[in-house]
Amino acid sequence: MFKLWLKFQIFLAVGSVLADPCTISIPTDLPDPQPVFVTQQGLFRPINQVTEVQEGEELTLHCAGKGNVVVPLKQQTVTLVCRGGDFYNTETDEQQTLKDLKCTRIPTSELQVTETTCADGAGVFYEVGFLVNDNFHSVFTICYDSANEHTIYSRSLVNGAAQSFKINDSTRRAFKADGLRFSTTATNNFYVNKNQKSRFASYFGAKQAFVNRTSFLARGHMAPDADFVFSYEQLATYYYANCAPEWQVVNAGNWLRVENAVRKLASQLGSDVLTYTSTLGVLELTNPTDNKETQIYLDKTELIPAPEWYYKIVMHPSLAADVVFITRNNPFEDVGKEVEFCTNVCDKYDLDLSYYEDSRHGYTFCCELNDFWVAAMNTDSPNFDLPDGWSYKN
Ligand SMILES: *[C@@H]1O[C@H](CO)[C@@H](O)[C@H](O)[C@H]1NC(C)=O
Ligand SMILES: *[C@@H]1O[C@H](CO)[C@@H](O)[C@H](O)[C@H]1NC(C)=O
């Protein structure tokens, strides 16, 4: 009996030495550029500055994209296993330091058009993510209505626990038109300044003053680049299906402030915040010469409207309500409270900024989701598809 007990204790002692977890500290342990990290649970989502990988668990590194490889190993994918606190290459058994395992360039995401319907059949899911060893790992989800070439929403989780430790990457990437009927080249062309000028000249005459070098419709992100932790996730947001025309002064003005507010909120809450970003309506601009209202589209076929509003739904279990930020995409008209179509609760939830009333940078207000929904959608309750484990409040 005694002997058995002793053996058991020795086993425990040895076991605890062996069971040293591996740790990944962000951003210090990360190579630049990072490969896509996949753990046995899926896409790696850090839970703090330091995240553990347990003894015996695998971590797969993948440099997605043509000709993209883990530089020192010259292979696209490598799997490591955690043993006694260190990572070992499962093929060569060599110990590896994460920091050394950079990719040739930032991994390239893909957009998968699925056949799964969303928003009660109004659209289908587009998943943006990475294919690693035949498994697709989604970074964020778009619900897209192809018939109307309209993004019903971009849904993503803002990782509040890792917000303060994320990669601050200023790299941009060209937008791709995957999932749209227009080609990337055609869509790029809609946004070219010269073409916006001629579009606006056709609406308002050659002397139109809406579009010039500094005033133009920008590619407004729905799920924003800067919400994400890794460079490869940030650059996965560059799809036209995740964007809509937004006046640059609004994009870099109050809409950026809304995005910053959501990241700050996520950071304060310290865990995932669920967001849905979308647009409402078609922007109408008043012709100064005859006071007539004209609806604004980027393309002649009138499939890509400049929206009247941008909005972002923000959800978290500890918030008393699901909240929506709403920003007006019309910097030309001086407006105030009269444009608010649901009860402004920015103040109530401590989300108010004095800047929000500045129409020149996009008049902004906040509402509780249920109130917003009834006013904007004319139906009783939100029908945006929730990820597992989430629910609407009230
Ligand atoms: C990224 O920027 C944020 C905010 O400016 C800062 O707190 C953080 O330390 C920066 N992270 C890195 C890795 O530089
Ligand atoms: C560009 O247009 C904006 C909006 O009408 C106007 O405020 C700005 O002064 C114009 N800039 C130039 C250089 O004309």
Side-chain angles (χ1 to χ4, degrees):
M1 181 66 196
F2 173 77
K3 257 186 164 171
L4 192 67
W5 174 238
L6 193 65
K7 266 189 191 162
F8 185 58
Q9 274 193 324
I10 289 167
F11 171 79
L12 274 184
V14 171
S16 74
V17 169
L18 285 179
D20 248 3
C22 297
T23 56
I24 304 175
S25 293
I26 56 166
T28 39
D29 286 347
L30 300 176
D32 180 25
Q34 311 94 57
V36 177
F37 289 101
V38 180
T39 69
Q40 283 172 214
Q41 287 81 46
L43 211 55
F44 174 48
R45 302 196 81 246
I47 54 158
N48 207 324
Q49 184 165 17
V50 180
T51 305
E52 291 186 346
V53 174
Q54 298 308 317
E55 173 77 21
E57 274 198 68
E58 291 186 348
L59 179 69
T60 298
L61 279 53
H62 180 73
C63 296
K66 213 173 191 175
N68 198 6
V69 292
V70 180
V71 175
L73 304 174
K74 299 188 179 65
Q75 57 192 85
Q76 187 164 42
T77 312
V78 58
T79 297
L80 311 178
V81 62
C82 171
R83 245 192 276 136
D86 290 305
F87 285 113
Y88 291 85
N89 189 319
T90 53
E91 274 176 57
T92 63
D93 219 28
E94 257 181 277
Q95 191 184 326
Q96 314 262 215
T97 306
L98 281 188
K99 186 103 187 151
D100 299 336
L101 303 177
K102 66 173 182 182
C103 291
T104 320
R105 53 193 162 77
I106 300 173
T108 315
S109 60
E110 44 192 291
L111 181 149
Q112 289 201 341
V113 174
T114 78
E115 291 181 351
T116 311
T117 59
C118 49
D120 289 335
V124 295
F125 282 128
Y126 289 3
E127 295 289 348
V128 177
F130 298 92
L131 189 65
V132 182
N133 289 338
D134 295 329
N135 289 315
F136 189 79
H137 299 278
S138 180
V139 173
F140 73 101
T141 303
I142 298 168
C143 177
Y144 201 78
D145 167 8
S146 331
N148 297 303
E149 216 62 78
H150 173 66
T151 303
I152 298 169
Y153 59 76
S154 278
R155 182 184 82 190
S156 64
L157 292 172
V158 183
N159 186 337
Q163 243 348 272
S164 313
F165 315 108
K166 71 183 176 198
I167 302 283
N168 294 326
D169 197 331
S170 57
T171 310
R172 298 285 177 266
R173 185 163 273 176
F175 280 81
K176 288 186 285 193
D178 301 42
L180 270 65
R181 81 185 70 179
F182 298 110
S183 67
T184 296
T185 309
T187 318
N188 286 341
N189 272 326
F190 297 145
Y191 281 92
V192 168
N193 201 274
K194 181 168 67 89
N195 293 336
Q196 289 193 25
K197 275 189 190 152
S198 63
R199 196 97 275 286
F200 275 70
S202 79
Y203 287 141
F204 303 107
K207 286 192 180 141
Q208 65 79 27
F210 296 109
V211 175
N212 57 35
R213 282 264 145 241
T214 52
S215 173
F216 56 90
L217 289 161
R219 297 159 174 89
H221 268 98
M222 295 197 198
D225 172 316
D227 277 8
F228 293 93
V229 176
F230 301 110
S231 310
Y232 55 85
E233 297 172 320
Q234 294 167 7
L235 295 194
T237 59
Y238 288 74
Y239 288 95
Y240 280 114
N242 182 42
C243 120
E246 183 178 38
W247 290 101
Q248 178 56 19
V249 279
V250 176
N251 187 30
N254 278 336
W255 187 248
L256 176 60
R257 292 187 175 117
V258 165
E259 292 178 341
N260 286 336
V262 173
R263 289 189 279 268
K264 191 174 152 202
L265 184 67
S267 203
Q268 284 166 349
L269 291 165
S271 55
D272 284 344
V273 162
L274 175 62
T275 65
Y276 293 86
T277 311
S278 188
T279 60
L280 278 179
V282 180
L283 172 66
E284 293 190 337
L285 292 175
T286 310
N287 191 338
T289 60
D290 60 8
N291 275 330
K292 271 201 193 133
E293 304 259 315
T294 300
Q295 291 198 321
I296 306 300
Y297 292 85
L298 271 192
D299 61 313
K300 246 193 218 132
T301 46
E302 305 204 327
L303 268 167
I304 306 181
E308 184 181 8
W309 303 96
Y310 259 68
Y311 68 90
K312 192 184 286 290
I313 301 172
V314 178
M315 298 173 61
H316 187 276
S318 351
L319 289 176
D322 304 323
V323 172
V324 193
F325 288 91
I326 307 140
T327 294
R328 194 160 186 263
N329 187 30
N330 182 350
F332 304 104
E333 237 182 280
D334 212 0
V335 298
K337 283 214 157 291
E338 73 281 359
V339 298
E340 295 176 2
F341 52 80
C342 41
T343 306
N344 192 342
V345 293
C346 291
D347 213 19
K348 178 174 168 188
Y349 292 104
D350 222 7
L351 298 168
D352 209 10
L353 280 185
S354 55
Y355 300 106
Y356 287 163
E357 284 166 28
D358 175 10
S359 333
R360 308 265 150 216
H361 293 96
Y363 188 90
T364 297
F365 62 107
C366 325
C367 291
E368 288 177 0
L369 175 59
N370 289 341
D371 184 22
F372 164 86
W373 196 269
V374 171
M377 313 291 185
N378 241 327
T379 58
D380 283 348
S381 44
N383 70 343
F384 287 178
D385 314 82
L386 294 162
D388 285 348
W390 290 82
S391 55
Y392 289 113
K393 296 207 182 73
N394 311 335

